[in-house]
Amino acid sequence: MAEPAPVRWAVLGAANIFRANFLPSLRAAGGGEVVVVGSRGGRRAAEMLAREELQCRIADYEGAIGTEEVDAVYVALPNTLHVEWAGAALRAGKAVLCEKPLGVDLSEVEELVELAHGARAPLWEAFAFPFHSQYLRAEELISGGEIGELREVVSHFHFPVRRPDNIRWSPELAGGALNDVGCYPIHLAALLFRRVPGRALVSATAAPSGVDLETCGLLEYGGGSRLLFSSGLSRARDTTTRLVGTEGSLELTDPFHPGAHDTFELRVAGRPGKRERLMSDEPTFAPLLRHIHAVLRDGAGPRHLAINDSIPTAQALEWVRAAASRESGR
Ligand SMILES: NC(=O)c1ccc[n+]([C@@H]2O[C@H](COP(=O)([O-])OP(=O)(O)OC[C@H]3O[C@@H](n4cnc5c(N)ncnc54)[C@H](OP(=O)(O)O)[C@@H]3O)[C@@H](O)[C@H]2O)c1
Protein backbone atom coordinates (compact mmCIF):
# COMPACT_ATOMS: atom_id res chain seq x y z
CA MET A 1 0.00 0.00 0.00
CA ALA A 2 1.21 3.54 -0.77
CA GLU A 3 2.48 5.63 2.15
CA PRO A 4 -0.06 8.28 3.15
CA ALA A 5 0.99 11.82 2.18
CA PRO A 6 3.05 13.67 4.81
CA VAL A 7 1.30 16.06 7.19
CA ARG A 8 2.03 19.59 5.94
CA TRP A 9 2.87 21.99 8.73
CA ALA A 10 2.77 25.76 9.03
CA VAL A 11 4.88 27.09 11.89
CA LEU A 12 4.07 30.47 13.42
CA GLY A 13 7.19 32.22 14.72
CA ALA A 14 10.85 31.63 13.87
CA ALA A 15 11.15 30.58 17.48
CA ASN A 16 14.00 28.93 19.30
CA ILE A 17 11.77 25.99 20.27
CA PHE A 18 10.94 25.46 16.58
CA ARG A 19 14.66 25.29 15.66
CA ALA A 20 15.86 23.42 18.73
CA ASN A 21 13.13 20.82 19.24
CA PHE A 22 10.18 20.84 16.82
CA LEU A 23 12.28 20.63 13.65
CA PRO A 24 14.72 17.90 14.77
CA SER A 25 11.75 16.01 16.24
CA LEU A 26 9.86 16.29 12.96
CA ARG A 27 12.89 14.93 11.14
CA ALA A 28 13.17 12.08 13.65
CA ALA A 29 9.43 11.30 13.64
CA GLY A 30 8.96 11.32 9.85
CA GLY A 31 5.56 11.62 8.21
CA GLY A 32 5.50 15.41 8.20
CA GLU A 33 7.09 18.44 6.59
CA VAL A 34 7.16 22.19 7.15
CA VAL A 35 5.75 23.96 4.09
CA VAL A 36 5.56 27.52 5.42
CA VAL A 37 6.92 29.54 8.34
CA GLY A 38 4.83 32.49 9.49
CA SER A 39 6.90 35.40 10.68
CA ARG A 40 6.48 39.08 11.55
CA GLY A 41 9.25 39.73 9.05
CA GLY A 42 12.87 40.72 9.46
CA ARG A 43 15.88 38.57 8.77
CA ARG A 44 15.56 36.07 11.61
CA ALA A 45 13.21 33.64 9.88
CA ALA A 46 15.17 33.58 6.59
CA GLU A 47 18.48 33.15 8.44
CA MET A 48 17.05 30.36 10.57
CA LEU A 49 15.69 28.49 7.56
CA ALA A 50 19.03 28.83 5.75
CA ARG A 51 20.98 27.56 8.78
CA GLU A 52 18.60 24.63 9.19
CA GLU A 53 18.69 23.90 5.44
CA LEU A 54 14.91 24.03 5.38
CA GLN A 55 13.36 24.97 2.08
CA CYS A 56 9.92 26.42 2.61
CA ARG A 57 8.01 29.65 2.13
CA ILE A 58 7.94 32.53 4.58
CA ALA A 59 4.65 34.42 4.97
CA ASP A 60 3.00 36.53 7.63
CA TYR A 61 1.01 34.65 10.29
CA GLU A 62 -2.31 35.01 8.45
CA GLY A 63 -0.78 33.98 5.15
CA ALA A 64 0.80 30.90 6.75
CA ILE A 65 -2.49 29.79 8.30
CA GLY A 66 -4.36 30.53 5.08
CA THR A 67 -2.01 28.42 2.94
CA GLU A 68 -4.38 25.96 1.38
CA GLU A 69 -2.20 22.85 1.47
CA VAL A 70 -1.44 23.25 5.20
CA ASP A 71 -2.93 20.51 7.40
CA ALA A 72 -1.58 21.54 10.81
CA VAL A 73 -0.29 24.69 12.47
CA TYR A 74 2.38 24.82 15.19
CA VAL A 75 1.98 28.00 17.26
CA ALA A 76 5.44 28.81 18.67
CA LEU A 77 4.72 32.41 19.63
CA PRO A 78 5.05 34.26 22.96
CA ASN A 79 2.40 33.29 25.51
CA THR A 80 0.12 36.30 24.96
CA LEU A 81 -0.35 35.37 21.29
CA HIS A 82 -1.32 31.71 21.74
CA VAL A 83 -5.09 32.07 21.96
CA GLU A 84 -5.36 34.58 19.12
CA TRP A 85 -3.36 32.54 16.61
CA ALA A 86 -4.34 29.04 17.70
CA GLY A 87 -7.94 30.30 17.45
CA ALA A 88 -7.36 31.69 13.97
CA ALA A 89 -5.86 28.37 12.84
CA LEU A 90 -8.76 26.36 14.29
CA ARG A 91 -11.24 28.67 12.56
CA ALA A 92 -9.40 28.02 9.30
CA GLY A 93 -10.02 24.29 9.80
CA LYS A 94 -6.42 23.35 10.62
CA ALA A 95 -5.23 20.96 13.30
CA VAL A 96 -3.24 22.91 15.90
CA LEU A 97 -0.31 22.21 18.17
CA CYS A 98 -0.09 25.28 20.41
CA GLU A 99 2.73 26.00 22.79
CA LYS A 100 2.19 25.90 26.53
CA PRO A 101 0.67 27.54 28.41
CA LEU A 102 -2.35 27.46 26.12
CA GLY A 103 -3.55 30.84 27.45
CA VAL A 104 -2.36 33.35 29.99
CA ASP A 105 -5.33 32.78 32.31
CA LEU A 106 -8.26 30.41 32.76
CA SER A 107 -10.75 32.47 30.75
CA GLU A 108 -8.43 32.49 27.72
CA VAL A 109 -7.99 28.71 27.92
CA GLU A 110 -11.75 28.20 28.30
CA GLU A 111 -12.38 30.38 25.25
CA LEU A 112 -9.94 28.40 23.10
CA VAL A 113 -11.15 25.02 24.36
CA GLU A 114 -14.74 26.00 23.59
CA LEU A 115 -13.67 26.86 20.07
CA ALA A 116 -11.83 23.54 19.83
CA HIS A 117 -15.00 21.65 20.80
CA GLY A 118 -16.74 22.94 17.66
CA ALA A 119 -13.70 22.82 15.37
CA ARG A 120 -13.20 20.48 12.41
CA ALA A 121 -9.67 19.55 13.46
CA PRO A 122 -8.03 18.78 16.82
CA LEU A 123 -6.06 21.03 19.19
CA TRP A 124 -3.13 19.88 21.33
CA GLU A 125 -1.21 21.90 23.93
CA ALA A 126 2.50 21.27 23.40
CA PHE A 127 3.25 19.25 26.51
CA ALA A 128 5.26 16.46 24.89
CA PHE A 129 5.98 14.41 28.00
CA PRO A 130 2.68 12.44 28.23
CA PHE A 131 3.70 10.77 24.95
CA HIS A 132 7.14 9.64 26.22
CA SER A 133 7.77 6.00 27.07
CA GLN A 134 8.83 6.87 30.61
CA TYR A 135 5.59 8.72 31.36
CA LEU A 136 3.60 5.79 29.95
CA ARG A 137 5.65 3.44 32.15
CA ALA A 138 5.03 5.62 35.21
CA GLU A 139 1.29 5.57 34.50
CA GLU A 140 1.40 1.80 34.09
CA LEU A 141 3.26 1.27 37.38
CA ILE A 142 0.95 3.62 39.26
CA SER A 143 -2.27 2.14 37.89
CA GLY A 144 -0.85 -1.36 38.55
CA GLY A 145 -0.51 -0.43 42.24
CA GLU A 146 3.32 -0.77 42.36
CA ILE A 147 3.73 2.26 44.63
CA GLY A 148 0.36 1.94 46.36
CA GLU A 149 -1.91 4.94 46.20
CA LEU A 150 -0.28 8.02 44.71
CA ARG A 151 -0.21 10.71 47.39
CA GLU A 152 2.46 13.22 46.53
CA VAL A 153 4.07 14.64 43.41
CA VAL A 154 7.27 16.50 44.26
CA SER A 155 8.53 18.21 41.15
CA HIS A 156 11.03 20.87 40.16
CA PHE A 157 11.60 22.71 36.94
CA HIS A 158 14.38 25.28 37.03
CA PHE A 159 16.77 26.46 34.36
CA PRO A 160 18.84 29.62 33.94
CA VAL A 161 17.65 32.25 31.43
CA ARG A 162 20.73 34.33 30.68
CA ARG A 163 19.84 36.73 27.86
CA PRO A 164 18.17 39.93 29.06
CA ASP A 165 16.08 40.17 25.86
CA ASN A 166 14.52 36.71 26.33
CA ILE A 167 10.69 36.74 26.07
CA ARG A 168 10.58 35.05 29.51
CA TRP A 169 11.51 38.36 31.18
CA SER A 170 8.68 40.27 29.51
CA PRO A 171 5.54 41.02 31.56
CA GLU A 172 3.82 42.23 28.35
CA LEU A 173 4.35 38.79 26.76
CA ALA A 174 3.30 36.95 29.97
CA GLY A 175 6.76 35.61 30.70
CA GLY A 176 7.90 34.42 34.12
CA ALA A 177 8.74 31.14 35.81
CA LEU A 178 5.22 29.85 36.41
CA ASN A 179 4.06 30.27 32.81
CA ASP A 180 7.32 28.99 31.40
CA VAL A 181 8.28 26.02 33.59
CA GLY A 182 6.03 25.90 36.67
CA CYS A 183 3.21 24.78 34.37
CA TYR A 184 5.04 21.43 33.86
CA PRO A 185 4.78 20.07 37.43
CA ILE A 186 1.23 21.43 37.54
CA HIS A 187 0.29 19.65 34.31
CA LEU A 188 1.93 16.45 35.58
CA ALA A 189 -0.11 16.57 38.79
CA ALA A 190 -3.31 17.37 36.85
CA LEU A 191 -2.77 14.30 34.65
CA LEU A 192 -1.92 11.98 37.53
CA PHE A 193 -4.50 13.11 40.09
CA ARG A 194 -7.26 13.87 37.53
CA ARG A 195 -8.66 16.42 39.95
CA VAL A 196 -8.53 20.16 40.48
CA PRO A 197 -6.80 21.40 43.65
CA GLY A 198 -8.88 22.72 46.53
CA ARG A 199 -6.19 24.77 48.22
CA ALA A 200 -2.91 26.44 47.27
CA LEU A 201 -0.05 27.88 49.29
CA VAL A 202 2.45 29.74 47.15
CA SER A 203 5.62 31.74 47.47
CA ALA A 204 6.94 33.77 44.54
CA THR A 205 9.85 36.16 44.03
CA ALA A 206 9.92 38.84 41.35
CA ALA A 207 12.59 39.50 38.73
CA PRO A 208 13.58 43.17 38.11
CA SER A 209 11.24 43.23 35.07
CA GLY A 210 8.28 42.31 37.29
CA VAL A 211 7.71 38.72 36.11
CA ASP A 212 8.08 35.92 38.66
CA LEU A 213 11.69 34.76 38.90
CA GLU A 214 10.73 31.78 41.03
CA THR A 215 7.37 30.36 42.06
CA CYS A 216 7.03 27.42 44.39
CA GLY A 217 4.17 26.02 46.36
CA LEU A 218 1.83 23.38 47.60
CA LEU A 219 -1.43 22.35 45.91
CA GLU A 220 -3.82 20.08 47.78
CA TYR A 221 -5.98 17.72 45.77
CA GLY A 222 -8.03 16.20 48.61
CA GLY A 223 -7.74 12.74 50.16
CA GLY A 224 -4.20 13.50 51.36
CA SER A 225 -2.91 14.06 47.78
CA ARG A 226 -0.69 17.00 47.03
CA LEU A 227 1.77 18.59 44.64
CA LEU A 228 4.90 20.25 45.98
CA PHE A 229 6.50 22.19 43.15
CA SER A 230 9.33 24.59 42.61
CA SER A 231 10.04 26.51 39.41
CA GLY A 232 12.41 29.25 38.39
CA LEU A 233 14.52 30.95 35.76
CA SER A 234 17.77 31.54 37.65
CA ARG A 235 19.09 28.20 38.92
CA ALA A 236 21.00 25.42 37.19
CA ARG A 237 18.69 23.07 35.33
CA ASP A 238 16.82 20.85 37.77
CA THR A 239 13.83 18.74 36.87
CA THR A 240 14.04 16.12 39.63
CA THR A 241 10.65 14.65 40.36
CA ARG A 242 9.30 12.06 42.81
CA LEU A 243 5.93 10.39 42.51
CA VAL A 244 5.29 9.13 46.02
CA GLY A 245 2.73 6.51 46.90
CA THR A 246 1.70 4.75 50.09
CA GLU A 247 4.01 1.80 49.32
CA GLY A 248 6.89 3.31 47.37
CA SER A 249 7.95 5.92 44.87
CA LEU A 250 9.10 6.61 41.35
CA GLU A 251 12.11 8.89 41.05
CA LEU A 252 12.74 10.61 37.73
CA THR A 253 15.60 12.96 36.97
CA ASP A 254 13.58 14.52 34.13
CA PRO A 255 9.96 13.58 33.46
CA PHE A 256 9.52 16.52 31.05
CA HIS A 257 12.30 16.45 28.46
CA PRO A 258 14.20 13.23 29.19
CA GLY A 259 17.49 12.49 27.47
CA ALA A 260 19.64 9.37 27.33
CA HIS A 261 21.42 10.32 30.57
CA ASP A 262 18.24 10.59 32.64
CA THR A 263 17.14 7.91 35.08
CA PHE A 264 13.87 6.35 36.16
CA GLU A 265 13.84 4.37 39.37
CA LEU A 266 11.15 2.42 41.18
CA ARG A 267 11.60 2.24 44.94
CA VAL A 268 9.37 0.05 47.04
CA ALA A 269 9.85 -0.14 50.81
CA GLY A 270 11.87 -3.23 51.80
CA ARG A 271 13.09 -3.96 48.25
CA PRO A 272 16.21 -2.75 46.44
CA GLY A 273 15.56 0.18 44.05
CA LYS A 274 15.05 -0.83 40.43
CA ARG A 275 16.28 1.36 37.59
CA GLU A 276 14.77 1.05 34.15
CA ARG A 277 16.24 2.23 30.86
CA LEU A 278 13.47 4.11 29.10
CA MET A 279 15.20 7.11 27.64
CA SER A 280 16.60 7.74 24.19
CA ASP A 281 18.53 10.51 22.48
CA GLU A 282 15.50 11.26 20.33
CA PRO A 283 14.45 14.94 20.50
CA THR A 284 11.56 15.17 22.91
CA PHE A 285 8.75 16.32 20.59
CA ALA A 286 9.20 13.23 18.37
CA PRO A 287 6.66 10.92 20.11
CA LEU A 288 4.10 13.76 20.20
CA LEU A 289 4.58 14.51 16.49
CA ARG A 290 4.40 10.80 15.60
CA HIS A 291 1.08 10.69 17.44
CA ILE A 292 -0.30 13.77 15.67
CA HIS A 293 0.75 12.35 12.31
CA ALA A 294 -0.92 9.03 13.13
CA VAL A 295 -4.14 10.88 13.99
CA LEU A 296 -4.11 13.10 10.91
CA ARG A 297 -2.75 10.59 8.38
CA ASP A 298 -3.97 7.23 9.60
CA GLY A 299 -7.11 8.08 11.56
CA ALA A 300 -5.63 6.94 14.91
CA GLY A 301 -7.61 7.93 18.00
CA PRO A 302 -6.29 11.20 19.46
CA ARG A 303 -4.88 11.29 23.00
CA HIS A 304 -4.18 14.18 25.34
CA LEU A 305 -6.29 16.67 23.40
CA ALA A 306 -6.57 20.18 24.82
CA ILE A 307 -10.34 19.69 25.21
CA ASN A 308 -9.58 16.98 27.80
CA ASP A 309 -6.30 18.02 29.41
CA SER A 310 -5.92 21.78 29.32
CA ILE A 311 -8.73 23.07 31.57
CA PRO A 312 -7.64 21.23 34.78
CA THR A 313 -4.12 22.58 34.32
CA ALA A 314 -5.41 26.11 33.65
CA GLN A 315 -7.61 25.86 36.76
CA ALA A 316 -4.66 24.78 38.91
CA LEU A 317 -2.52 27.61 37.45
CA GLU A 318 -5.32 30.01 38.38
CA TRP A 319 -5.22 28.74 41.99
CA VAL A 320 -1.47 29.38 42.03
CA ARG A 321 -1.79 32.88 40.55
CA ALA A 322 -4.53 33.79 43.05
CA ALA A 323 -2.47 32.47 45.98
CA ALA A 324 0.64 34.32 44.74
CA SER A 325 -1.23 37.59 44.45
CA ARG A 326 -2.76 37.13 47.95
CA GLU A 327 0.73 36.47 49.28
CA SER A 328 2.26 39.52 47.57
CA GLY A 329 -0.60 41.76 48.83
CA ARG A 330 0.20 40.99 52.46
N1 LIG B 1 6.92 22.79 24.89
C1 LIG B 1 8.19 23.06 25.15
O1 LIG B 1 8.99 22.17 25.43
C2 LIG B 1 8.67 24.47 25.07
C3 LIG B 1 10.03 24.79 25.22
C4 LIG B 1 10.43 26.13 25.06
C5 LIG B 1 9.49 27.11 24.80
N2 LIG B 1 8.18 26.77 24.72
C6 LIG B 1 7.14 27.78 24.43
O2 LIG B 1 7.31 28.18 23.08
C7 LIG B 1 6.97 29.55 22.92
C8 LIG B 1 8.13 30.28 22.25
O3 LIG B 1 9.26 30.20 23.10
P1 LIG B 1 10.75 30.43 22.52
O4 LIG B 1 11.68 30.41 23.65
O5 LIG B 1 10.99 29.51 21.39
O6 LIG B 1 10.60 31.95 22.02
P2 LIG B 1 11.45 32.81 20.98
O7 LIG B 1 12.67 32.08 20.55
O8 LIG B 1 11.60 34.16 21.57
O9 LIG B 1 10.48 32.86 19.73
C9 LIG B 1 9.23 33.47 19.76
C10 LIG B 1 8.88 33.89 18.34
O10 LIG B 1 7.63 34.57 18.40
C11 LIG B 1 7.59 35.59 17.42
N3 LIG B 1 7.12 36.82 18.07
C12 LIG B 1 5.92 37.43 17.83
N4 LIG B 1 5.77 38.52 18.56
C13 LIG B 1 6.89 38.64 19.31
C14 LIG B 1 7.33 39.60 20.26
N5 LIG B 1 6.59 40.65 20.60
N6 LIG B 1 8.55 39.43 20.81
C15 LIG B 1 9.31 38.36 20.50
N7 LIG B 1 8.94 37.42 19.59
C16 LIG B 1 7.75 37.56 19.01
C17 LIG B 1 8.99 35.72 16.84
O11 LIG B 1 8.96 35.11 15.57
P3 LIG B 1 8.85 35.96 14.22
O12 LIG B 1 9.64 37.21 14.44
O13 LIG B 1 9.43 35.07 13.21
O14 LIG B 1 7.40 36.26 14.01
C18 LIG B 1 9.86 34.88 17.75
O15 LIG B 1 10.89 34.25 17.06
C19 LIG B 1 6.61 30.05 24.32
O16 LIG B 1 5.22 30.01 24.49
C20 LIG B 1 7.24 29.04 25.27
O17 LIG B 1 6.51 28.88 26.48
C21 LIG B 1 7.77 25.47 24.85
Side-chain angles (χ1 to χ4, degrees):
M1 229 166 53
E3 266 283 288
V7 170
R8 295 157 301 181
W9 285 91
V11 175
L12 302 191
N16 190 47
I17 185 66
F18 162 58
R19 178 196 59 75
N21 201 334
F22 181 95
L23 194 55
S25 294
L26 188 68
R27 286 170 171 157
E33 63 190 15
V34 177
V35 295
V36 56
V37 169
S39 177
R40 293 169 301 172
R43 290 206 315 270
R44 184 172 164 169
E47 284 171 2
M48 187 181 280
L49 297 192
R51 260 195 323 273
E52 298 304 317
E53 298 179 4
L54 181 65
Q55 274 157 20
C56 73
R57 284 194 316 111
I58 299 177
D60 60 15
Y61 298 157
E62 257 172 42
I65 289 174
T67 303
E68 206 184 311
E69 70 263 26
V70 163
D71 306 302
V73 176
Y74 172 47
V75 179
L77 299 173
N79 299 337
T80 44
L81 299 177
H82 290 177
V83 166
E84 177 184 352
W85 290 103
L90 285 176
R91 281 188 206 95
K94 312 295 186 186
V96 179
L97 174 64
C98 179
E99 267 309 339
K100 38 55 59 178
L102 204 53
V104 299
D105 58 27
L106 179 59
S107 65
E108 274 204 1
V109 175
E110 285 173 339
E111 181 194 322
L112 190 58
V113 164
E114 193 176 323
L115 187 65
H117 271 292
R120 274 184 282 143
L123 167 69
W124 286 269
E125 185 172 4
F127 284 110
F129 71 86
F131 297 90
H132 295 160
S133 54
Q134 71 160 346
Y135 178 80
L136 297 173
R137 179 67 176 142
E139 261 191 342
E140 180 184 57
L141 289 169
I142 292 167
S143 64
E146 287 288 326
I147 60 167
E149 190 188 331
L150 180 68
R151 287 287 174 80
E152 198 164 274
V153 174
V154 185
S155 185
H156 303 76
F157 201 150
H158 288 257
F159 82 109
V161 175
R162 299 215 163 84
R163 288 183 57 130
D165 60 349
N166 193 295
I167 57 168
R168 288 158 185 79
W169 299 127
S170 166
E172 293 75 30
L173 299 177
L178 181 67
N179 279 344
D180 196 55
V181 282
C183 58
Y184 280 91
I186 286 167
H187 193 60
L188 177 65
L191 292 179
L192 292 174
F193 290 134
R194 286 277 162 210
R195 288 198 292 278
V196 173
R199 197 162 93 100
L201 295 170
V202 170
S203 167
T205 53
S209 69
V211 301
D212 60 316
L213 180 67
E214 293 192 333
T215 294
C216 61
L218 160 72
L219 295 183
E220 288 183 351
Y221 288 83
S225 304
R226 67 185 73 91
L227 165 69
L228 291 162
F229 77 96
S230 173
S231 61
L233 304 176
S234 63
R235 274 185 10 203
R237 188 179 170 88
D238 173 15
T239 46
T240 47
T241 293
R242 299 179 69 223
L243 310 178
V244 187
T246 49
E247 310 297 328
S249 62
L250 294 173
E251 322 240 354
L252 295 81
T253 53
D254 190 345
F256 306 123
H257 289 287
H261 53 285
D262 282 301
T263 60
F264 177 101
E265 185 166 350
L266 169 65
R267 293 190 181 181
V268 177
R271 285 201 241 145
K274 197 175 142 205
R275 281 199 175 185
E276 297 192 21
R277 289 235 53 84
L278 298 163
M279 270 53 78
S280 74
D281 260 340
E282 192 170 66
T284 58
F285 274 35
L288 163 65
L289 294 180
R290 243 180 239 120
H291 172 72
I292 293 177
H293 294 169
V295 171
L296 300 183
R297 294 192 337 156
D298 313 324
R303 289 184 290 120
H304 294 297
L305 289 174
I307 54 170
N308 300 320
D309 285 6
S310 294
I311 297 275
T313 296
Q315 285 170 328
L317 284 165
E318 205 76 349
W319 273 93
V320 174
R321 289 187 193 106
S325 85
R326 271 198 311 276
E327 186 62 28
S328 69
R330 272 192 192 169

